[in-house]
């Protein structure tokens, strides 16, 4: 049987574009369909614009510190429309880069919504129909609003980058990555931020001490964080919204922002009728090679709801190409993935939290929390945290957790050592880089506790 293409990729985000490009460079005939903008969530409405907003929001603090360092600084106001327009230009540029990468690799692109008709056929919203030996679903995810009266009045992360004006006040609902990052960003940009999180502490699943410090610092920086609090309903009033909470309060906010999770984009893709299995949240069920129950259909990235991070989707895309087109079955390694949360201060983390490690085996905890030199000089009370979770038996570092400015940059390097299986003694053998915050990672001599 002959096919129009060797591979048809549905979704032009980080994972889909990488897989399409690498497969095409290896000689496969490849097509890709994208219904929105090339670059997907990460480039257009996620990591990239979010990080630009993090940078923008850090200037007020930096300007304050500059005064302590002897500079005379006259801060004007923040011009959101100007920043937004520069950001939009940068995103247009990046989208162009993604399109060019595909073009230069001879991938045929279709600006259309694609659905799966059968194990080897894709139908486009343009009415076109193509056959392919393999189909790769890389359709990503989408933010979800909770099911409550008035939820439609709330915005989600997709909307935040296009706001005409910054609100004076906002309620952020949720305690995950997106909620905490945007609570900090908006607070830094001068918005009056309240955050409701239904659980006991934000950032569920991360190391307890790290979560605790970030939450303290967020409160210190001005975020009005309410734990054990959820939202009951939203009613439009006076150009904003009155929000009833589970604590019995009624408060007015100019905007309400739901950061209450994301669901895989599989609705209406036609997968069920082909025999592809979907999970409870609509995620595509795949094996270790990203293959679905239909042998010719594979899926990577957020649509599979494994580890929803851009670099993971890219690695899944590369492993898919190696497996299917390289003749070398390559399972995806989801172990010890370093990650950062761009709160203020940032968290950089790799491996197990103290709580999770303790469930597995006896551990030693090396931990220090201190005022970093730069901020202490500027008269700030901020603290940072450096923590190692060490196996008593093997001496291996099972987890590293950093809460500090630049923690994302630091954890990338620590990730190499941890992935290589470094022991506490390997860390100790490394000479400190002085004066830095990260030097504490190689100078902690005695455990603060064992368990
Ligand atoms: P998360 O799953 O991380 O967090 C969702 C939050 O919303 C949780 O605090 C959850 O509470 C809460 N929540 C869920 N449902 C409700 C509800 N009905 N009412 C009230 N609260 C609710 O999702 P995010 O949207 O923050 O992020 C999605 C994914 O995107 C992340 O998992 C991450 O993989 C990725 N991401 C990564 C970033 C990075 O690497 N820096 C940045 C941004 C996103 P509970 O804890 O109780 O379940």
């Amino acid at each position: 049987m002959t096919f129009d293409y060797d591979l048809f990729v549905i979704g032009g985000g980080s994972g889909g574009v990488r897989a399409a490009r690498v497969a095409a460079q290896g000689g496969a005939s490849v097509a890709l369909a994208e219904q929105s903008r090339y670059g997907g969530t990460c480039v257009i409405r996620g990591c990239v614009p979010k990080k630009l907003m993090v940078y923008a929001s850090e200037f007020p603090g930096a300007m304050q510190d500059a005064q302590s360092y002897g500079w005379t600084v006259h801060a004007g106001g923040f011009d959101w429309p100007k920043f937004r327009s520069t950001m939009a230009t940068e995103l247009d540029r990046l989208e162009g880069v993604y399109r060019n990468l595909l073009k230069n690799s001879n991938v045929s692109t279709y600006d259309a919504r694609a659905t799966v008709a059968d194990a080897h056929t894709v139908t486009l919203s343009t009415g076109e129909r193509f056959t392919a030996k393999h189909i790769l679903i890389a359709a990503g995810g989408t933010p979800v609003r909770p099911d409550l009266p008035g939820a439609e009045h709330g915005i989600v992360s997709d909307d935040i980058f296009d706001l005409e004006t910054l609100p004076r006040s906002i309620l952020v609902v949720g305690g995950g990555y997106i909620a905490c990052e945007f609570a900090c960003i908006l607070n830094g940009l001068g918005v009056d931020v309240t955050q409701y999180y239904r659980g006991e502490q934000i950032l569920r699943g991360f190391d307890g001490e790290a979560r605790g410090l970030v939450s303290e610092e967020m409160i210190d920086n001005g975020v009005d964080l309410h734990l054990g609090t959820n939202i009951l309903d939203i009613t439009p009033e006076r150009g904003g919204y009155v929000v009833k909470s589970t604590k019995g309060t009624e408060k007015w906010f100019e905007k309400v922002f739901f950061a209450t999770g994301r669901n895989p984009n599989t609705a209406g893709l036609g997968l069920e009728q082909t025999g592809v299995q979907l999970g409870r949240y609509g995620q595509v069920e795949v094996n270790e090679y990203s293959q679905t129950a239909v042998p010719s259909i594979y899926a990577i990235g957020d649509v599979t709801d494994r580890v929803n991070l851009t670099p993971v989707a890219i690695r899944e895309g590369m492993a898919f190409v190696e497996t299917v087109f390289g003749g070398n079955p390559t399972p995806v390694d989801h172990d010890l993935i370093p990650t950062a949360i761009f709160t203020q201060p940032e968290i950089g983390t790799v491996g197990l939290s103290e709580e999770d490690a303790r469930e597995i085996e006896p551990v030693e905890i090396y931990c220090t929390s201190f005022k970093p030199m730069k901020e202490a000089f500027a008269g700030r009370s901020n603290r940072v945290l450096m923590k190692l979770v060490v196996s008593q038996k093997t001496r291996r570092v099972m987890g590293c957790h950093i809460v500090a400015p630049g923690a994302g940059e630091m954890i990338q390097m620590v990730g190499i050592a941890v992935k290589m299986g470094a022991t506490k003694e390997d860390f100790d053998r490394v000479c400190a880089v002085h004066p830095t915050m990260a030097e504490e990672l190689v100078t902690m001599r005695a455990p603060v506790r064992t368990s």
Side-chain angles (χ1 to χ4, degrees), residues 278-291:
L278 299 184
R280 191 170 154 204
Y281 301 104
Q283 73 271 30
V284 182
E285 300 285 4
V286 289
N287 66 13
E288 63 198 309
Y289 302 104
S290 299
Q291 189 178 32

Side-chain angles (χ1 to χ4, degrees), residues 146 175-178 181 197-198 204 230 259-262 308-309 340:
Y177 277 83
I178 296 180
E181 290 184 340
Y197 173 53
R198 64 184 177 182
R204 183 165 60 83
N230 210 345
T260 44
R262 297 172 59 84
N308 299 332
L309 299 169

Side-chain angles (χ1 to χ4, degrees), residues 407-430:
E409 302 288 348
M410 296 181 213
I411 206 69
Q412 181 68 80
M413 299 296 114
V414 179
I416 299 171
V418 173
K419 188 86 184 165
M420 288 176 75
T423 61
K424 174 67 172 66
E425 286 63 38
D426 290 327
F427 272 63
D428 294 345
R429 284 193 294 121
V430 178

Side-chain angles (χ1 to χ4, degrees), residues 41 46-47 50 142-148 157 173-182 195-206 211 229-231 258-263 302 305-311 338-343 347:
T41 300
C47 322
K50 180 274 305 284
T142 204
V144 283
R145 289 176 174 80
D147 185 13
L148 55 85
S157 56
V173 184
Y177 277 83
I178 296 180
C180 295
E181 290 184 340
F182 276 98
Q195 185 178 357
Y196 287 175
Y197 173 53
R198 64 184 177 182
E200 282 173 19
Q201 184 55 281
I202 54 168
L203 298 170
R204 183 165 60 83
F206 290 93
R211 296 161 73 195
T229 309
N230 210 345
I231 170 171
F258 288 114
T260 44
R262 297 172 59 84
N263 275 352
D302 288 7
D305 198 21
R306 285 176 283 181
V307 181
N308 299 332
L309 299 169
T310 298
T339 181
I341 310 169
F342 294 99
T343 40
I347 299 188

Side-chain angles (χ1 to χ4, degrees), residues 300-354:
I300 56 165
D302 288 7
V303 81
T304 63
D305 198 21
R306 285 176 283 181
V307 181
N308 299 332
L309 299 169
T310 298
V312 176
I314 290 173
R315 295 180 78 87
E316 288 168 356
M318 301 286 281
F320 156 78
V321 174
E322 188 60 25
T323 300
V324 172
F325 296 101
N328 174 26
T330 304
V332 185
D333 179 5
H334 288 111
D335 195 28
L336 294 172
I337 295 169
T339 181
I341 310 169
F342 294 99
T343 40
Q344 292 165 30
E346 288 174 22
I347 299 188
T349 177
V350 62
L352 296 177
S353 66
E354 176 179 346

